[in-house]
């Protein structure tokens, strides 16, 4: 796929209105867009940049998992920017919300968020399917700069894979009609995502809690965590921690190391 189909210059111009200095860049191939931005930071480049890859050879997911997608089947990009945040909790929820609302603004596709920020389609009793995921990593900026460099990696399946290897079936946007071109998809997601990051820096999670609740696929569902907690999803608190109603009372799950699944699926 040639770079012209991404219309990167037009995208960069449109994003400059909300985020002056933002660069948009596309690489034909890289190990992982998150890894590349971390490497650049270590070389002293703390740019505000949106880096797209047409192919990732070593894409990464949360909890040390790999995220592998054939070239062209998924949109894979990372947004890197320095942020000064008093409270980091909930950032991943806000990012997931920006992505899911951009993909499915009126909820017609039934896309939701599986805490903390997986993109799911789940209409019980059918099995859930995963449309994409988000990997947020933060690194210290050089001394004295304050804040941290945030890398927000987003992967969205355009095409449903023929063979599924993961615990949860992957689904592409092609399930609902012709898959949008990667460049169109990026153009749809980029502005809301950048805007959400800038707003979150000022306001934190609170303004988005009600909207998150509408997309929370775990709410009122039987779930289990990788720590063995079982109960009913009871939403999230103001810090973005997952709440689970168990027989012993309500439990708050806020560790990014924890994985949570519906009870109907194998334990995480
Ligand atoms: C997950 O589902 O656990 C998160 C998947 C995140 C994948 C994206 S693709 C772009 C960016 N680069 C990576 O290596 N990972 C993220």
């Amino acid at each position: 796929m040639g770079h012209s189909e991404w219309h990167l210059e037009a995208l960069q111009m449109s994003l400059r209105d909300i985020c002056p200095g933002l660069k948009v860049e596309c690489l034909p191939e890289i190990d992982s867009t998150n890894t590349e931005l971390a490497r650049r930071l270590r070389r002293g480049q703390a740019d505000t940049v949106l880096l797209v890859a047409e192919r990732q050879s070593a894409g990464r997911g949360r909890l040390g998992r790999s995220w592998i997608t054939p070239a062209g089947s998924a949109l894979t990009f990372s947004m890197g920017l320095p942020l000064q945040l008093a409270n980091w909790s909930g950032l991943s929820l806000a990012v997931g919300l920006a992505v899911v609302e951009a993909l499915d603004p009126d909820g017609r596709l039934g896309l939701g968020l599986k805490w903390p920020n997986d993109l799911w389609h789940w209409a019980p009793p059918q099995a859930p399917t995963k449309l994409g995921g988000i990997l947020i990593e933060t690194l210290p900026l050089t001394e004295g700069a304050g804040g941290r460099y945030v890398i927000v990696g987003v992967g969205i399946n355009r095409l449903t894979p023929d063979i599924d290897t993961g615990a949860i079936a992957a689904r592409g946007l092609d399930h609902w009609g012709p898959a949008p071109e990667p460049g169109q998809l990026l153009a749809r997601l980029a502005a809301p995502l950048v805007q959400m990051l800038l707003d979150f820096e000022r306001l934190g999670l609170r303004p988005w809690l009600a909207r998150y609740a509408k997309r929370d696929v775990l709410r009122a569902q039987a779930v289990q965590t990788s720590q063995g907690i079982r109960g009913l999803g009871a939403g999230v608190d103001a810090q973005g921690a997952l709440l689970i109603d168990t027989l012993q009372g309500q439990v708050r799950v806020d560790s990014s190391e924890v994985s949570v699944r519906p009870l109907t699926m194998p334990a995480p």
Side-chain angles (χ1 to χ4, degrees):
M1 187 182 305
H3 283 196
S4 59
E5 290 170 47
W6 290 94
H7 304 294
L8 295 185
E9 273 174 36
L11 180 61
Q12 181 164 303
M13 288 302 289
S14 68
L15 293 173
R16 278 196 174 154
D17 290 344
I18 51 172
C19 186
L22 171 70
K23 286 187 240 166
V24 182
E25 193 185 327
C26 179
L27 297 172
E29 180 166 346
I30 193 78
D31 49 359
S32 145
T33 50
N34 270 40
T35 306
E36 171 64 9
L37 291 186
R39 263 193 305 260
R40 290 182 184 183
L41 183 77
R42 282 194 285 274
R43 292 198 301 257
Q45 286 174 260
D47 301 336
T48 298
V49 61
L50 200 164
L51 178 68
V52 194
E54 293 184 338
R55 199 180 103 78
Q56 291 191 128
S57 55
R60 294 185 290 111
R62 286 186 65 239
L63 307 169
R65 299 179 183 131
S66 55
W67 205 76
I68 297 163
T69 46
S73 73
L75 171 68
T76 50
F77 69 93
S78 299
M79 169 83 204
L81 75 170
L83 280 184
Q84 306 256 7
L85 288 183
N87 188 352
W88 288 88
S89 68
L91 176 64
S92 66
L93 277 64
V95 167
L97 188 61
V99 172
V100 82
E101 288 186 344
L103 289 176
D104 184 20
D106 49 19
R108 211 178 310 169
L109 307 184
L111 300 191
L113 292 167
K114 201 273 296 186
W115 186 91
N117 55 11
D118 266 5
L119 261 73
W120 274 26
H121 179 267
W122 191 20
Q126 287 166 34
T129 53
K130 174 163 168 167
L131 255 108
I134 292 160
L135 176 66
I136 300 182
E137 295 171 307
T138 77
L139 296 163
L141 285 162
T142 46
E143 249 166 74
R148 291 177 75 81
Y149 190 69
V150 183
I151 302 171
V152 176
V154 180
I156 313 277
N157 297 323
R158 297 176 53 246
L159 309 178
T160 306
D162 298 334
I163 317 162
D164 236 308
T165 47
I168 171 157
R171 179 171 281 178
L173 288 168
D174 61 350
H175 177 80
W176 288 274
E181 287 302 315
Q184 286 176 331
L185 202 50
L186 181 67
R188 214 200 289 174
L189 294 176
L193 177 61
V194 173
Q195 189 68 61
M196 174 66 88
L197 289 165
L198 299 177
D199 289 347
F200 191 91
E201 188 174 37
R202 287 184 303 122
L203 305 169
L205 180 63
R206 201 169 280 275
W208 290 283
L209 283 168
R211 273 153 62 190
Y212 182 87
K214 287 192 196 153
R215 304 286 182 159
D216 177 1
V217 300
L218 298 183
R219 188 174 277 259
Q221 299 295 338
V223 298
Q224 60 187 325
T225 74
S226 48
Q227 305 156 312
I229 298 166
R230 286 178 173 207
L232 282 189
V236 299
D237 70 9
Q239 282 72 47
L242 176 69
L243 301 174
I244 301 179
D245 284 336
T246 74
L247 290 176
Q248 290 76 38
Q250 195 166 77
V251 175
R252 188 174 178 271
V253 178
D254 67 352
S255 163
S256 56
E257 302 305 314
V258 174
S259 163
V260 58
R261 294 260 170 84
L263 252 187
T264 49
M265 286 176 64

